[in-house]
Amino acid sequence: MFGPEAACEKADGACMPTAIADTWRQGANDTLYEGRSEGIAVLAQLMSMGEVDAKDFGADTAAKLRIEGNVELQRELAYWAALQNVPGAVEEDIRYAAKDVMRFLTKALDPANPERYRLAIAVKTPSGFIRGHGLVPIGFYRVDSKGIYRLRVYDSNFPSAEREVIIDASANTWRYEAPMPSGKVTVYEGNEENGNLLYFSPIRQRLGKHAAPFGAESPSSTLTSAGNLEVSASVGEDEAAGIEDGAVIERGDGRLVPAFASCTLCNASRGILNYTLTNSLKKDMVVTVTPGKMGESEGSDGTTALNVTGPNFATKVQGLDTAKGTSSTLKVEPDGDVSLSTN
């Protein structure tokens, strides 16, 4: 992913990760614990592009592959999913509201287009997002003359059935329903009120070796939050990313994106979010954390964590107090020194 010179104690022989690289790895694994949908969606597209061969993992076709007991396949899925935590691997990602997405999809799903895309969605909540989920867009068709479309998708939770995202371009809404084993239905939707977008990631940008987020020359700092928290990160007055009073805040080059790994058939989701700030080499990054508004019905398991990575540092903070009325402030200096205060 980064090369041994960036992540290993020694550049030759078996790789023993540096302490910083290992801390970053643990943060990436926190995302993977919620599911494999991102890795499956990306790998499925790579196989369709001929970049990866299913035979390398023990089957003639992707449809015949089985994850259980297949360690090599599990590693491959984890690799492609973890790249969503690497700024250089997702810098060409794009986001669309329903009213704007059809022109993009017309070009993206053109059989003559050599690129493939991962589509991702999330459930918008008062504290941010939960159940970020990766899908494979296949095609679409128009339902009527009023601007309603059905986007055909592959969902790894329902491998034997084609699924559909309903897009109403005129009303600026989209909706996807995922039935749960309990009989309930998880509803993903975006509209004018919640501002929930559709996230697309070109697959080719993930190929090759990438600059390590914790490398000395990294141009940005990244933050991952998990749990019932409202988190806002800023560098000076010009750059910020986070959730404030339930609203997504992005200033300057600051960017907030849900993590896409959720098992929508599972009960809990920690609402994992990824933040990127590109000016953090020059000034302190200040991270403000307050209790979130995620209800029990939304699946929070009660645990919290922050993972912060930047040039020559990676830090993990767990067990933040989420009692009502409390707040925490994490300050990260350009050299990676970290201080935490709680009020």
Side-chain angles (χ1 to χ4, degrees):
M1 186 178 290
F2 309 127
E5 66 281 356
C8 305
E9 293 284 359
K10 296 181 179 180
D12 55 353
C15 179
M16 292 296 293
T18 64
I20 293 175
D22 194 52
T23 300
W24 178 88
R25 179 191 63 81
Q26 293 176 41
N29 280 337
D30 284 346
T31 301
L32 303 181
Y33 291 145
E34 291 214 346
R36 299 188 176 101
S37 67
E38 173 81 357
I40 293 175
V42 172
L43 184 57
Q45 292 289 45
L46 287 167
M47 288 183 176
S48 75
M49 296 162 64
E51 295 288 348
V52 178
D53 192 341
K55 293 179 180 179
D56 293 338
F57 304 98
D60 292 334
T61 66
K64 294 180 180 179
L65 289 172
R66 295 294 179 267
I67 296 176
E68 292 74 16
N70 192 334
V71 175
E72 291 303 315
L73 180 58
Q74 292 171 16
R75 288 174 176 168
E76 191 77 3
L77 293 171
Y79 177 90
W80 296 113
L83 280 170
Q84 68 182 298
N85 296 294
V86 179
V90 293
E91 61 186 359
E92 297 177 17
D93 284 15
I94 43 182
R95 305 173 286 185
Y96 288 101
K99 63 184 177 62
D100 303 316
V101 74
M102 295 314 303
R103 180 175 297 181
F104 163 77
L105 286 172
T106 299
K107 295 180 179 179
L109 298 178
D110 186 331
N113 186 355
E115 183 61 276
R116 299 288 189 275
Y117 291 85
R118 182 273 287 133
L119 164 64
I121 56 178
V123 175
K124 184 69 174 66
T125 75
S127 296
F129 301 88
I130 60 172
R131 301 191 184 281
H133 188 44
L135 304 167
V136 177
I138 301 170
F140 68 87
Y141 61 94
R142 189 166 185 164
V143 176
D144 59 22
S145 60
K146 298 180 180 179
I148 299 177
Y149 299 83
R150 291 183 180 267
L151 175 61
R152 301 163 50 223
V153 298
Y154 164 74
D155 184 336
S156 56
N157 287 323
F158 309 95
S160 300
E162 185 177 290
R163 309 285 298 170
E164 293 180 337
V165 178
I166 309 302
I167 299 173
D168 188 335
S170 298
N172 196 23
T173 64
W174 62 267
R175 183 180 177 94
Y176 180 72
E177 297 183 356
M180 308 279 280
S182 64
K184 296 182 179 179
V185 176
T186 296
V187 176
Y188 295 81
E189 59 184 342
N191 50 50
E192 291 279 2
E193 183 179 356
N194 67 19
N196 198 9
L197 303 176
L198 298 164
Y199 298 80
F200 294 89
S201 183
I203 300 301
R204 292 188 186 278
Q205 69 175 335
R206 304 206 183 193
L207 297 172
K209 187 168 71 173
H210 299 276
F214 46 82
E217 303 302 320
S218 176
S220 61
S221 286
T222 60
L223 167 69
T224 299
S225 69
N228 190 12
L229 304 170
E230 273 201 8
V231 178
S232 178
S234 63
V235 177
E237 298 180 356
D238 299 327
E239 186 155 341
I243 303 291
E244 295 179 4
D245 296 325
V248 175
I249 303 299
E250 293 179 323
R251 292 198 303 271
D253 292 326
R255 186 175 176 87
L256 168 64
V257 177
F260 303 116
S262 181
C263 170
T264 56
L265 302 183
C266 303
N267 291 322
S269 175
R270 300 174 69 202
I272 301 176
L273 305 179
N274 293 326
Y275 315 71
T276 302
L277 299 170
T278 59
N279 196 32
S280 52
L281 286 171
K282 302 176 183 178
K283 301 178 182 178
D284 294 348
M285 179 169 65
V286 179
V287 182
T288 302
V289 183
T290 58
K293 305 178 182 67
M294 190 187 301
E296 292 183 2
S297 62
E298 292 168 323
S300 174
D301 65 1
T303 60
T304 61
L306 292 178
N307 295 281
V308 188
T309 304
N312 284 329
F313 74 88
T315 299
K316 183 171 185 176
V317 180
Q318 294 179 291
L320 289 167
D321 190 352
T322 59
K324 186 176 181 180
T326 62
S327 65
S328 299
T329 301
L330 182 74
K331 185 172 77 171
V332 184
E333 298 179 12
D335 61 2
D337 284 348
V338 177
S339 60
L340 176 66
S341 60
T342 300
N343 301 320

